[in-house]
PDB file of all heavy atoms in Angstrom:
ATOM      1  N   ALA G  21       8.656 -51.484-175.940  1.00 98.00           N
ATOM      2  CA  ALA G  21       9.480 -52.040-177.015  1.00 98.00           C
ATOM      3  C   ALA G  21      10.855 -51.391-177.003  1.00 98.00           C
ATOM      4  O   ALA G  21      11.330 -50.859-178.011  1.00 98.00           O
ATOM      5  CB  ALA G  21       8.793 -51.829-178.361  1.00 98.00           C
ATOM      6  N   GLY G  25      12.492 -55.212-173.404  1.00 98.00           N
ATOM      7  CA  GLY G  25      11.261 -55.871-173.813  1.00 98.00           C
ATOM      8  C   GLY G  25      11.406 -56.652-175.105  1.00 98.00           C
ATOM      9  O   GLY G  25      10.909 -57.781-175.229  1.00 98.00           O
ATOM     10  N   GLY G  47       4.967 -45.343-177.912  1.00 97.00           N
ATOM     11  CA  GLY G  47       5.392 -44.460-178.983  1.00 97.00           C
ATOM     12  C   GLY G  47       4.640 -44.723-180.272  1.00 97.00           C
ATOM     13  O   GLY G  47       4.053 -45.802-180.476  1.00 97.00           O
ATOM     14  N   VAL G  50       8.011 -48.129-183.030  1.00 98.00           N
ATOM     15  CA  VAL G  50       9.127 -48.614-182.232  1.00 98.00           C
ATOM     16  C   VAL G  50      10.313 -47.673-182.438  1.00 98.00           C
ATOM     17  O   VAL G  50      10.663 -47.320-183.567  1.00 98.00           O
ATOM     18  CB  VAL G  50       9.509 -50.051-182.634  1.00 98.00           C
ATOM     19  CG1 VAL G  50      10.784 -50.481-181.909  1.00 98.00           C
ATOM     20  CG2 VAL G  50       8.374 -51.011-182.318  1.00 98.00           C
ATOM     21  N   VAL G  84      37.057 -46.296-181.661  1.00 97.00           N
ATOM     22  CA  VAL G  84      38.472 -46.367-182.018  1.00 97.00           C
ATOM     23  C   VAL G  84      39.317 -45.385-181.218  1.00 97.00           C
ATOM     24  O   VAL G  84      40.547 -45.469-181.219  1.00 97.00           O
ATOM     25  CB  VAL G  84      38.685 -46.100-183.525  1.00 97.00           C
ATOM     26  CG1 VAL G  84      37.978 -47.162-184.361  1.00 97.00           C
ATOM     27  CG2 VAL G  84      38.201 -44.706-183.917  1.00 97.00           C
ATOM     28  N   LYS G 153      -2.263 -59.388-163.321  1.00 98.00           N
ATOM     29  CA  LYS G 153      -2.899 -60.282-164.295  1.00 98.00           C
ATOM     30  C   LYS G 153      -2.692 -59.796-165.724  1.00 98.00           C
ATOM     31  O   LYS G 153      -2.705 -60.591-166.675  1.00 98.00           O
ATOM     32  CB  LYS G 153      -4.394 -60.362-163.984  1.00 98.00           C
ATOM     33  CG  LYS G 153      -5.193 -61.285-164.891  1.00 98.00           C
ATOM     34  CD  LYS G 153      -6.665 -61.296-164.484  1.00 98.00           C
ATOM     35  CE  LYS G 153      -7.487 -62.196-165.401  1.00 98.00           C
ATOM     36  NZ  LYS G 153      -8.933 -62.182-165.008  1.00 98.00           N
ATOM     37  N   GLN G 210      16.004 -45.345-155.192  1.00 98.00           N
ATOM     38  CA  GLN G 210      16.576 -45.183-156.529  1.00 98.00           C
ATOM     39  C   GLN G 210      17.070 -43.746-156.698  1.00 98.00           C
ATOM     40  O   GLN G 210      16.486 -42.805-156.160  1.00 98.00           O
ATOM     41  CB  GLN G 210      15.528 -45.502-157.595  1.00 98.00           C
ATOM     42  CG  GLN G 210      16.059 -45.545-159.008  1.00 98.00           C
ATOM     43  CD  GLN G 210      17.177 -46.546-159.202  1.00 98.00           C
ATOM     44  OE1 GLN G 210      18.356 -46.187-159.186  1.00 98.00           O
ATOM     45  NE2 GLN G 210      16.812 -47.806-159.385  1.00 98.00           N
ATOM     46  N   GLU G 269      21.248 -29.737-154.744  1.00 97.00           N
ATOM     47  CA  GLU G 269      20.549 -28.996-153.688  1.00 97.00           C
ATOM     48  C   GLU G 269      19.953 -27.685-154.165  1.00 97.00           C
ATOM     49  O   GLU G 269      18.837 -27.323-153.787  1.00 97.00           O
ATOM     50  CB  GLU G 269      21.518 -28.707-152.525  1.00 97.00           C
ATOM     51  CG  GLU G 269      21.914 -29.901-151.698  1.00 97.00           C
ATOM     52  CD  GLU G 269      22.745 -29.475-150.502  1.00 97.00           C
ATOM     53  OE1 GLU G 269      22.163 -28.879-149.573  1.00 97.00           O
ATOM     54  OE2 GLU G 269      23.963 -29.715-150.507  1.00 97.00           O
ATOM     55  N   PRO G 271      17.921 -25.105-155.720  1.00 98.00           N
ATOM     56  CA  PRO G 271      16.715 -25.155-156.554  1.00 98.00           C
ATOM     57  C   PRO G 271      16.756 -24.192-157.731  1.00 98.00           C
ATOM     58  O   PRO G 271      15.919 -24.278-158.631  1.00 98.00           O
ATOM     59  CB  PRO G 271      15.597 -24.780-155.571  1.00 98.00           C
ATOM     60  CG  PRO G 271      16.260 -23.928-154.545  1.00 98.00           C
ATOM     61  CD  PRO G 271      17.647 -24.497-154.398  1.00 98.00           C
ATOM     62  N   VAL G 322       7.541 -59.468-163.837  1.00 98.00           N
ATOM     63  CA  VAL G 322       8.889 -59.018-163.471  1.00 98.00           C
ATOM     64  C   VAL G 322       9.109 -57.594-163.956  1.00 98.00           C
ATOM     65  O   VAL G 322       8.398 -57.085-164.829  1.00 98.00           O
ATOM     66  CB  VAL G 322       9.981 -59.928-164.081  1.00 98.00           C
ATOM     67  CG1 VAL G 322       9.852 -61.362-163.593  1.00 98.00           C
ATOM     68  CG2 VAL G 322       9.954 -59.869-165.607  1.00 98.00           C
ATOM     69  N   GLY G 360       3.912 -75.795-166.448  1.00 98.00           N
ATOM     70  CA  GLY G 360       2.505 -75.670-166.121  1.00 98.00           C
ATOM     71  C   GLY G 360       2.177 -74.580-165.126  1.00 98.00           C
ATOM     72  O   GLY G 360       1.053 -74.513-164.615  1.00 98.00           O
ATOM     73  N   ILE G 378      24.622 -59.273-164.786  1.00 98.00           N
ATOM     74  CA  ILE G 378      24.159 -57.935-164.421  1.00 98.00           C
ATOM     75  C   ILE G 378      24.629 -57.568-163.019  1.00 98.00           C
ATOM     76  O   ILE G 378      25.166 -56.471-162.787  1.00 98.00           O
ATOM     77  CB  ILE G 378      22.616 -57.853-164.510  1.00 98.00           C
ATOM     78  CG1 ILE G 378      22.162 -58.088-165.950  1.00 98.00           C
ATOM     79  CG2 ILE G 378      22.121 -56.494-163.996  1.00 98.00           C
ATOM     80  CD1 ILE G 378      20.650 -58.201-166.109  1.00 98.00           C
ATOM     81  N   PRO G 399      37.521 -36.173-155.066  1.00 79.00           N
ATOM     82  CA  PRO G 399      37.637 -37.305-154.148  1.00 79.00           C
ATOM     83  C   PRO G 399      36.951 -38.567-154.668  1.00 79.00           C
ATOM     84  O   PRO G 399      37.448 -39.685-154.475  1.00 79.00           O
ATOM     85  CB  PRO G 399      36.965 -36.791-152.870  1.00 79.00           C
ATOM     86  CG  PRO G 399      37.102 -35.305-152.933  1.00 79.00           C
ATOM     87  CD  PRO G 399      36.958 -34.980-154.390  1.00 79.00           C
ATOM     88  N   GLY G 420      33.345 -51.555-149.298  1.00 88.00           N
ATOM     89  CA  GLY G 420      32.138 -52.194-148.778  1.00 88.00           C
ATOM     90  C   GLY G 420      30.950 -51.843-149.640  1.00 88.00           C
ATOM     91  O   GLY G 420      31.030 -51.815-150.867  1.00 88.00           O
ATOM     92  N   THR G 432      16.643 -31.660-152.421  1.00 98.00           N
ATOM     93  CA  THR G 432      16.443 -30.276-152.839  1.00 98.00           C
ATOM     94  C   THR G 432      16.452 -29.346-151.641  1.00 98.00           C
ATOM     95  O   THR G 432      15.732 -29.562-150.663  1.00 98.00           O
ATOM     96  CB  THR G 432      15.110 -30.124-153.593  1.00 98.00           C
ATOM     97  OG1 THR G 432      15.016 -31.147-154.590  1.00 98.00           O
ATOM     98  CG2 THR G 432      15.008 -28.754-154.244  1.00 98.00           C
ATOM     99  N   ASN G 457      14.299 -25.813-179.018  1.00 98.00           N
ATOM    100  CA  ASN G 457      14.874 -27.152-179.062  1.00 98.00           C
ATOM    101  C   ASN G 457      13.806 -28.233-179.001  1.00 98.00           C
ATOM    102  O   ASN G 457      13.935 -29.284-179.654  1.00 98.00           O
ATOM    103  CB  ASN G 457      15.881 -27.331-177.926  1.00 98.00           C
ATOM    104  CG  ASN G 457      17.268 -27.690-178.444  1.00 98.00           C
ATOM    105  OD1 ASN G 457      17.489 -27.816-179.638  1.00 98.00           O
ATOM    106  ND2 ASN G 457      18.210 -27.860-177.531  1.00 98.00           N
ATOM    107  N   GLN G 469      -7.120 -34.079-174.909  1.00 95.00           N
ATOM    108  CA  GLN G 469      -7.115 -35.155-173.924  1.00 95.00           C
ATOM    109  C   GLN G 469      -6.797 -34.607-172.532  1.00 95.00           C
ATOM    110  O   GLN G 469      -6.326 -33.482-172.375  1.00 95.00           O
ATOM    111  CB  GLN G 469      -6.073 -36.210-174.312  1.00 95.00           C
ATOM    112  CG  GLN G 469      -4.625 -35.729-174.204  1.00 95.00           C
ATOM    113  CD  GLN G 469      -3.618 -36.771-174.646  1.00 95.00           C
ATOM    114  OE1 GLN G 469      -3.517 -37.825-174.034  1.00 95.00           O
ATOM    115  NE2 GLN G 469      -2.887 -36.462-175.724  1.00 95.00           N
ATOM    116  N   LYS G 474      -0.267 -35.116-163.491  1.00 97.00           N
ATOM    117  CA  LYS G 474      -1.279 -34.927-162.456  1.00 97.00           C
ATOM    118  C   LYS G 474      -0.677 -34.272-161.214  1.00 97.00           C
ATOM    119  O   LYS G 474       0.449 -34.614-160.804  1.00 97.00           O
ATOM    120  CB  LYS G 474      -1.880 -36.277-162.053  1.00 97.00           C
ATOM    121  CG  LYS G 474      -2.293 -37.176-163.207  1.00 97.00           C
ATOM    122  CD  LYS G 474      -3.427 -36.596-164.022  1.00 97.00           C
ATOM    123  CE  LYS G 474      -3.879 -37.572-165.096  1.00 97.00           C
ATOM    124  NZ  LYS G 474      -4.926 -37.005-165.965  1.00 97.00           N
ATOM    125  N   ALA G 490      11.349 -21.702-154.662  1.00 98.00           N
ATOM    126  CA  ALA G 490      11.313 -20.895-155.892  1.00 98.00           C
ATOM    127  C   ALA G 490      10.745 -21.705-157.057  1.00 98.00           C
ATOM    128  O   ALA G 490      11.110 -21.502-158.201  1.00 98.00           O
ATOM    129  CB  ALA G 490      12.696 -20.346-156.230  1.00 98.00           C
ATOM    130  N   GLN G 518       1.621 -30.314-173.611  1.00 97.00           N
ATOM    131  CA  GLN G 518       1.917 -30.626-175.013  1.00 97.00           C
ATOM    132  C   GLN G 518       3.420 -30.685-175.276  1.00 97.00           C
ATOM    133  O   GLN G 518       3.865 -31.326-176.223  1.00 97.00           O
ATOM    134  CB  GLN G 518       1.281 -29.563-175.933  1.00 97.00           C
ATOM    135  CG  GLN G 518      -0.233 -29.493-175.854  1.00 97.00           C
ATOM    136  CD  GLN G 518      -0.724 -28.530-174.790  1.00 97.00           C
ATOM    137  OE1 GLN G 518       0.034 -28.125-173.903  1.00 97.00           O
ATOM    138  NE2 GLN G 518      -1.990 -28.164-174.860  1.00 97.00           N
TER     139      GLN G 518
END
Side-chain angles (χ1 to χ4, degrees):
V50 173
V84 298
K153 181 180 179 181
Q210 188 58 262
E269 289 186 72
V322 299
I378 297 173
T432 311
N457 238 0
Q469 68 182 296
K474 313 295 184 184
Q518 298 90 344

